Amino acid sequence: MAPKADNTEGIVLNFVNEQNRPLNVQNVADSLQKFNLKKAPIQKALDNLCDSGKISFKEYGKQKIYLARQDQFDIPDSEELNKMKEENANLQEKLDEQKKTTSEVEAEIKSLQSNLTLEEIHAKEAKLRKEVDEMEKKLIKLRGGVTLVSPEERKAIEGLYSEALNQWRKRKRMFRDVWDAITENSPKNPKEFKEELGIENDEDVGVDFQSFADLMQNGKKHARG
């Protein structure tokens, strides 16, 4: 339910005095939406307050600008203003110091949070020792000439690798055939068309199929040697 007329004037008067700055009716209406006040009764309240001398107004063309009466406020003299400016500067300096202190404390908290607890240190140490032991055992086997990968395992891995290369080669050929068929009679530039579709081939991402094929051949040569 909307406030009564006299209550509306009280709300509007309090708002204009609290703001103590030039306001038009739309400024007041936007700020007083929480009181369920519409623009029309706010306009009427402003006009009544002007007629009763509780607020003042100035006209700029068709628009009225409303102001709080300045004679109701204690206006400080130059000495008081200078004192207030000095107090404000001191408060700003204290605020800057507090911000600096807060930043330092936050940085220290983050630093402490990033450090490991004693329990975490022991756990990490144990994990690293275990890894070192495993690596030392492998190193001893390598020095002793022990074969870590059996011929059967090597053959199986080579088979998987060879099959992957074959699939790769097949898909490259399939794409090339399809792409050539699409772009053969297309008016678009193939490179621009590929970028438009978001297509990337091996060369675009710096991958060389032949280097992987050569790796397979080199591995077989080393195995025979």
Side-chain angles (χ1 to χ4, degrees), residues 43-62:
Q43 180 69 72
K44 184 176 179 182
L46 287 167
D47 291 338
N48 290 341
L49 290 169
C50 289
D51 293 341
S52 63
K54 294 180 180 178
I55 64 174
S56 60
F57 74 93
K58 292 184 179 180
E59 288 186 310
Y60 295 91
K62 295 182 178 180

Side-chain angles (χ1 to χ4, degrees), residues 66-116:
Y66 301 92
L67 303 126
R69 288 180 60 101
Q70 297 303 301
D71 55 8
Q72 66 180 309
F73 301 113
D74 293 329
I75 301 175
D77 56 26
S78 58
E79 183 178 347
E80 288 176 315
L81 282 172
N82 289 333
K83 186 177 179 181
M84 290 168 66
K85 288 179 181 178
E86 185 178 345
E87 290 176 351
N88 184 58
N90 291 334
L91 289 171
Q92 185 62 49
E93 186 177 345
K94 289 181 180 178
L95 177 61
D96 292 340
E97 290 176 358
Q98 288 294 328
K99 287 181 177 179
K100 183 180 178 182
T101 302
T102 301
S103 297
E104 291 173 351
V105 171
E106 289 177 348
E108 188 173 351
I109 290 172
K110 288 182 179 178
S111 176
L112 291 172
Q113 288 176 339
S114 65
N115 293 332
L116 297 176

Side-chain angles (χ1 to χ4, degrees), residues 13 53 85 95 119 123 168:
L13 177 61
K85 288 179 181 178
L95 177 61
E119 184 179 350
W168 187 354

